[in-house]
Amino acid sequence: KRTELAVRSCVEVALAEFDLTPAQFLLLYRIRDHGDLSGAALAREIGVRPQSLVTLVAPLERRGILEREPSRDHGRVLHNRLTPAGKKLVANALRVAGQLESELLAGLDDKKLAVLQEALISLWEGAEKHDLHPGAIRARAVQVMRSQLAERRRGSRGHTR
């Protein structure tokens, strides 16, 4: 936890130059790569609740960094897109983030860096497979709902009127 907090503090200071929080930076980074995500999908991507997304998006929209457009397929769904100013901001912030990453990892030789990467990947994969991971919880909820629906259907067929 100490490592996470120390790194996050450095990231916060580095992103202050762009008037971005780490969550906003992650949001913009994901939009850059997946501009067609709905708000709910984007919230899942960056690990916030859909209700919290508007507090991240609104200031960026006011600054002209991103814009929201209705989906062609689903009129009520809004897709977030980077504006030209947003694309430039993300590119500049990524350069600074890359420089910070290089500086923070400078004390690790290639072997230690490879071990760290393997350990982090293993931790990430384990977390995503864990019963408490939101993806696993959603999958179980879908299974329960499907089985309940199937049970209701079987029950309604068994009744004669």
Side-chain angles (χ1 to χ4, degrees), residues 22-126:
Q24 288 173 323
F25 174 69
L26 180 57
L27 171 90
L28 294 172
Y29 180 74
R30 290 292 192 233
I31 291 171
R32 184 197 73 163
D33 292 344
H34 306 288
D36 59 344
L37 292 175
S38 68
L42 186 56
R44 280 191 299 275
E45 279 280 317
I46 66 169
V48 299
R49 293 194 167 128
Q51 303 88 328
S52 302
L53 194 64
V54 76
T55 62
L56 296 173
V57 168
L60 299 171
E61 191 175 23
R62 281 192 300 271
R63 289 173 55 195
I65 294 169
L66 64 81
E67 56 194 10
R68 296 186 285 176
E69 302 171 344
S71 167
R72 286 182 240 146
D73 301 327
H74 306 285
R76 291 180 23 180
V77 173
L78 294 175
H79 292 291
N80 299 283
R81 305 224 188 287
L82 293 177
T83 63
K87 290 176 184 176
K88 184 177 179 181
L89 178 75
V90 170
N92 290 334
L94 278 170
R95 275 194 286 284
V96 169
Q99 179 63 37
L100 175 60
E101 180 180 282
S102 295
E103 291 168 5
L104 294 176
L105 297 174
L108 301 178
D109 61 26
D110 289 343
K111 185 176 178 181
K112 286 181 181 176
L113 186 57
V115 168
L116 175 62
Q117 286 174 328
E118 286 178 33
L120 290 172
I121 289 169
S122 184
L123 177 61
W124 172 30
E125 290 171 345

Side-chain angles (χ1 to χ4, degrees), residues 131 133-146:
D131 287 344
H133 187 272
I137 293 169
R138 273 193 299 279
R140 282 195 310 276
V142 167
Q143 282 180 318
V144 167
M145 289 183 341
R146 285 184 178 154

